[in-house]
Amino acid sequence: MNGAALIAIAATIGNFLQGWDNATIAGAVVYIKKELELGAAIEGLIVAMSLIGATLITTCSGTISDSIGRRPMLIASSMFYFLSGLIMLWSPNVYVLLLARLLDGFGIGLAVTLVPLYISETAPSEIRGLLNTLPQFTGSGGMFLAYCMVFSMSLAASPSWRLMLGVLSIPSLLYFALTVFYLPESPRWLVSKGKMLEAKRVLQKLRGREDVSGEMALLVEGLAVGGETSLEEYIIGPSDELGDDQDPTGHEDDQIKLYGPEAGLSWVAKPASTGQSRVSLVSRQGSMVNQSIPLMDPLVALFGSVHEKMLPEASGSMRSMLFPNFGSMFSTAEPNVVKNDEEEWDEESLHREGEGSASDDGGPTDEEDGDLRAPLMNMRRNSSLVQGGGGGGGGDAMGIGGGWQLAWKWSERDGEDGKKEGGFKRIYLHQEGPAASRRGSLVSIAGGDGGGAGGEGGGEYFQAAALVSQPALYSKDILDRRPVGPAMVHPLETSGNVSVWDALLEPGVKRALIVGIGIQILQQFSGINGVLYYTPQILQQAGVGVLLANLGMGADSSSFLISGLTNFLMLPCIAVAMRFMDIAGRRSLLLTTLPVLIISLIALVIGNVFDFGTLAHAIISTTCVVIYFCTFVMGYGPIPNILCSEIFPTRVRGICIAICALVFWICDVIVTYSLPVMLSSIGLAGVFGIYAVVCVISWVFIFLRVPETKGMPLEVITEFFAVGAKQSAAAKGE
């Protein structure tokens, strides 16, 4: 996790530069319009030119990043920052300045779009929200330091706006060095291109351990887009040879064999009926569709059912008891030969001749040493569920995040020639009920009245909800060819068998795009970036100079100082958001902070509509602006980008985030360019009144449409979107 955190910090230098630019142009434009004698339209164009550049580059950034990778795009971002800084330092006229601002926008667009994506693809699930709040923290830190610089320059007799803007090229050199020499490529992108060896090395660096096979398996499974995903429920226990008197269900014929990515682990599972369970995810499907809150997306209830019913110790107990160590997932063995060599999976290696392989009886069989012959996985039977204990060195390799586990089950069918044919199903498991002793009854397990851990039988059974779907490694095309025994495809082939545009039309992806685009539009029309760019002028109009008149400062310097102090106060607020992003969750933070935003905006409107005196007006306006900023960065600032980086499948994540970012920048341009005109026409009260209405609409949209994604692996989140879209379609069909 230290490796992932350092990588995230290095990547967010791009957001630091964005914040630096926001503050310097807010200060420099005060002097630019005086020296160049600009009207309001050209003034707005200078500020908005970087947003136009960001919009233009975003139109192609997603497709290019999906093609050549995330890291090259971040390198390009640093180069655009550097070049724009040099040109702004020179800028002999307004036309050259506009060109420099356009290049600056290219750097901003790439950083804002791709840094959250990059962090989400490299961070562990448990701290993904925290690390993805870092861009907000570094951006605000950049604004604070830049305002300090602008304030000190404003005290000079003739402040140089060219120097204010040109300093950007200095920190951009650090960003360039970090992106070139330190940042690795995203492991999820590497897996999507079949570069298994490089992906493994990057994961080992990020996680600080050698054994990353379980996460490698997860990344490969995340290549699939769409497919039929179902919700099931199991009672899971160790797969040691049980007699009839030891079968916890009393129906041994109903048991299913589950296999995990580690060589040597398998389990037995009993399908649990919803009538026996009081905490089942599956049993809540009815309430997901037939809910009491009108207009609420069933997807919100589906995600909420996981978090609301999650056991307090679910993650720890699951990680310590189920699948304690991950071994080698991938095997490119010839029939009847078992290997654990990921090198043969690298895209530079020769592809195997023929993807199907067989065991003697049409299903996974056991050698004398217990190894399965299935080329999909190398596993042994009769492994104890509690093998390895809970806190050993291998504990760091357990699970796939948030108490979720990855496994597969083998199912058989009768072929036309009478032989048994079978296939694997991917399963994401989540512990839903407490542990019970091996001799406990099914009812006691499901109802939570079972025995404690470590029962007399030496093993435990858990109730788990399961997302079951077709695995990426065992494609439907292979299944349609009716192979005898399991077969698998190369990840590079798996990731390329669905066109990007077909993937975008998948119901789950479309549902995620509605969430991402909607929250980006509403965030921008809540006015934050317009206020950030014009903070000094807004504070001047609010009469902030009165507050610092006794210090002998001019109105410009006073507004810069207040702006810098505001950004300084935002830093601890962002730190609080970082602390709670993975605890309270994204949705909860939004629903909690938006009412504060609304109240501060309404108070600001009242303070400007009624005459409370010059001093009272300045105090009310300044206080409300500070509260607005500090509350915004705790929720509505970082979370839209975090959500957009989490809810799309790997195969189309880049282009989907680019679509959301394009909407973001278009709305940003509209807000920023129109704000000076709105300030001169309807004043502060009218502007902030509009923003207050948008915040109310935002709260309603988030409550009804935005699910909670904290702590869940990215691949599980996308599976839930697929399930939610399917359930919604079924409900409308009824």
Side-chain angles (χ1 to χ4, degrees):
M1 290 189 180
N2 289 335
L6 292 175
I7 291 295
I9 292 172
T12 55
I13 300 298
N15 300 88
F16 174 89
L17 296 176
Q18 181 210 9
W20 183 281
D21 177 77
N22 287 352
T24 53
I25 191 60
V29 75
V30 175
Y31 303 102
I32 292 173
K33 66 179 182 180
K34 291 179 181 178
E35 178 180 329
L36 302 180
E37 298 180 350
L38 303 177
I42 299 299
E43 174 193 351
L45 183 60
I46 290 175
V47 175
M49 200 65 185
S50 65
L51 307 183
I52 295 172
T55 304
L56 293 175
I57 199 71
T58 299
T59 59
C60 59
S61 62
T63 303
I64 297 176
S65 69
D66 282 339
S67 176
I68 68 174
R70 320 313 191 194
R71 179 173 173 268
M73 303 299 282
L74 294 179
I75 294 174
S77 173
S78 66
M79 296 174 65
F80 282 127
Y81 274 128
F82 178 72
L83 289 175
S84 66
L86 290 182
I87 297 175
M88 285 189 288
L89 182 63
W90 171 54
S91 291
N93 53 54
V94 69
Y95 303 106
V96 174
L97 177 60
L98 288 174
L99 173 63
R101 296 290 297 161
L102 182 69
L103 295 177
D104 179 57
F106 290 165
I108 291 174
L110 292 177
V112 171
T113 303
L114 296 176
V115 168
L117 181 154
Y118 180 80
I119 293 176
S120 288
E121 292 190 340
T122 56
S125 300
E126 291 81 1
I127 59 171
R128 188 177 62 240
L130 182 151
L131 295 183
N132 242 333
T133 313
L134 280 173
Q136 185 77 56
F137 186 86
T138 57
S140 297
M143 292 187 68
F144 168 68
L145 294 178
Y147 269 122
C148 291
M149 178 196 71
V150 170
F151 170 71
S152 62
M153 288 185 176
S154 70
L155 299 178
S158 57
S160 171
W161 60 264
R162 292 179 178 85
L163 184 59
M164 289 181 186
L165 298 176
V167 172
L168 176 72
S169 59
I170 298 176
S172 65
L173 286 176
L174 172 62
Y175 185 37
F176 176 79
L178 289 173
T179 54
V180 171
F181 299 109
Y182 184 66
L183 292 186
E185 185 52 84
S186 160
R188 281 180 166 85
W189 182 86
L190 291 170
V191 167
S192 73
K193 299 303 179 182
K195 299 182 179 181
M196 309 302 292
L197 269 181
E198 189 176 350
K200 179 182 177 182
R201 286 193 289 265
V202 171
L203 274 179
Q204 288 171 334
K205 175 183 178 181
L206 292 173
R207 304 298 180 253
R209 61 173 184 266
E210 290 296 319
D211 186 3
V212 292
S213 300
E215 192 164 358
M216 286 289 291
L218 174 69
L219 301 192
V220 174
E221 290 296 351
L223 297 178
V225 178
E228 295 297 322
T229 303
S230 61
L231 293 169
E232 300 177 9
E233 183 185 2
Y234 298 112
I235 302 298
I236 303 174
S239 64
D240 37 356
E241 300 297 335
L242 300 178
D244 291 339
D245 60 333
Q246 293 176 306
D247 178 17
T249 67
H251 300 281
E252 189 172 4
D253 292 341
D254 295 336
Q255 291 181 355
I256 301 169
K257 203 63 170 290
L258 300 183
Y259 302 96
E262 182 192 356
L265 289 182
S266 59
W267 307 268
V268 292
K270 160 73 178 178
S273 65
T274 58
Q276 294 169 314
S277 173
R278 289 183 291 178
V279 292
S280 167
L281 175 65
V282 184
S283 66
R284 293 191 293 274
Q285 289 186 75
S287 62
M288 187 183 80
V289 177
N290 302 313
Q291 49 200 318
S292 58
I293 302 177
L295 303 179
M296 177 177 280
D297 192 334
L299 191 68
V300 175
L302 179 60
F303 274 84
S305 66
V306 177
H307 298 291
E308 291 169 6
K309 299 297 182 180
M310 187 180 294
L311 299 176
E313 300 298 328
S315 176
S317 63
M318 193 74 164
R319 289 166 65 90
S320 64
M321 300 305 297
L322 292 178
F323 323 127
N325 299 289
F326 285 118
S328 181
M329 157 70 181
F330 305 103
S331 171
T332 58
E334 297 301 322
N336 302 331
V337 178
V338 175
K339 294 182 181 180
N340 287 330
D341 190 359
E342 287 91 339
E343 295 185 11
E344 297 187 27
W345 271 103
D346 201 78
E347 69 171 350
E348 286 78 20
S349 303
L350 294 176
H351 287 203
R352 292 165 44 211
E353 296 292 337
E355 300 294 350
S357 60
S359 58
D360 295 336
D361 62 354
T365 59
D366 299 319
E367 294 285 348
E368 290 182 1
D369 63 355
D371 287 337
L372 290 171
R373 293 181 182 178
L376 175 61
M377 288 163 286
N378 174 22
M379 300 167 294
R380 293 184 178 86
R381 299 181 60 181
N382 303 329
S383 299
S384 172
L385 193 65
V386 294
Q387 175 186 353
D396 291 337
M398 305 173 203
I400 57 175
W404 290 89
Q405 311 293 334
L406 174 63
W408 292 264
K409 72 174 180 177
W410 173 261
S411 59
E412 290 183 338
R413 65 181 180 183
D414 293 327
E416 295 177 355
D417 53 3
K419 291 185 178 180
K420 293 287 187 182
E421 298 175 342
F424 279 100
K425 286 287 189 179
R426 173 178 70 238
I427 301 180
Y428 294 116
L429 292 167
H430 186 272
Q431 183 179 344
E432 289 278 302
S437 67
R438 118 185 304 174
R439 298 180 183 275
S441 69
L442 181 65
V443 175
S444 68
I445 296 171
D449 299 319
E456 182 181 350
E460 291 181 347
Y461 287 88
F462 295 87
Q463 181 175 308
L467 285 166
V468 183
S469 57
Q470 184 71 29
L473 290 172
Y474 190 93
S475 70
K476 291 182 178 179
D477 294 337
I478 291 178
L479 190 62
D480 292 339
R481 296 201 294 266
R482 306 178 69 81
V484 179
M488 70 185 295
V489 295
H490 192 279
L492 190 59
E493 180 181 337
T494 299
S495 64
N497 59 7
V498 179
S499 71
V500 171
W501 300 111
D502 288 341
L504 290 176
L505 296 177
E506 287 288 335
V509 177
K510 289 193 294 184
R511 184 60 59 89
L513 279 172
I514 291 173
V515 173
I517 292 174
I519 198 169
Q520 292 287 10
I521 291 175
L522 291 171
Q523 186 215 44
Q524 282 308 296
F525 282 104
S526 68
I528 181 62
N529 280 315
V531 178
L532 285 175
Y533 282 118
Y534 293 99
T535 297
Q537 290 158 281
I538 291 174
L539 292 178
Q540 285 184 33
Q541 187 171 338
V544 72
V546 176
L547 300 178
L548 301 176
N550 294 333
L551 298 179
M553 295 184 186
D556 291 342
S557 297
S558 298
S559 64
F560 296 150
L561 179 60
I562 294 294
S563 299
L565 292 176
T566 300
N567 280 274
F568 178 76
L569 293 175
M570 288 160 59
L571 296 179
C573 296
I574 301 172
V576 172
M578 293 171 67
R579 175 69 178 87
F580 288 100
M581 194 66 68
D582 293 307
I583 298 175
R586 294 80 158 124
R587 174 180 163 87
S588 298
L589 279 176
L590 285 173
L591 294 178
T592 302
T593 56
L594 273 171
V596 181
L597 283 181
I598 295 169
I599 293 172
S600 65
L601 291 170
I602 292 175
L604 185 60
V605 171
I606 294 174
N608 282 270
V609 169
F610 298 98
D611 185 10
F612 295 104
T614 303
L615 180 61
H617 174 240
I619 293 175
I620 292 173
S621 297
T622 303
T623 302
C624 290
V625 168
V626 171
I627 293 175
Y628 174 84
F629 279 149
C630 292
T631 307
F632 194 94
V633 298
M634 292 179 66
Y636 221 177
I639 291 177
N641 283 339
I642 294 176
L643 282 172
C644 289
S645 68
E646 294 177 329
I647 59 180
F648 302 112
T650 300
R651 176 81 173 86
V652 292
R653 184 171 292 126
I655 189 171
C656 287
I657 289 179
I659 291 172
C660 295
L662 181 61
V663 172
F664 169 93
W665 290 118
I666 291 174
C667 296
D668 197 354
V669 170
I670 294 173
V671 170
T672 304
Y673 192 77
S674 64
L675 185 58
V677 178
M678 293 173 64
L679 285 174
S680 60
S681 59
I682 61 177
L684 275 177
V687 170
F688 282 94
I690 293 174
Y691 294 162
V693 172
V694 174
C695 286
V696 173
I697 297 173
S698 298
W699 192 95
V700 175
F701 176 81
I702 291 163
F703 179 75
L704 295 177
R705 298 289 171 178
V706 178
E708 181 57 74
T709 60
K710 65 175 181 180
M712 300 175 70
L714 299 181
E715 290 71 18
V716 174
I717 293 172
T718 58
E719 289 280 341
F720 268 107
F721 268 92
V723 173
K726 177 182 175 183
Q727 293 290 340
S728 296
K732 292 178 181 178
E734 294 174 0

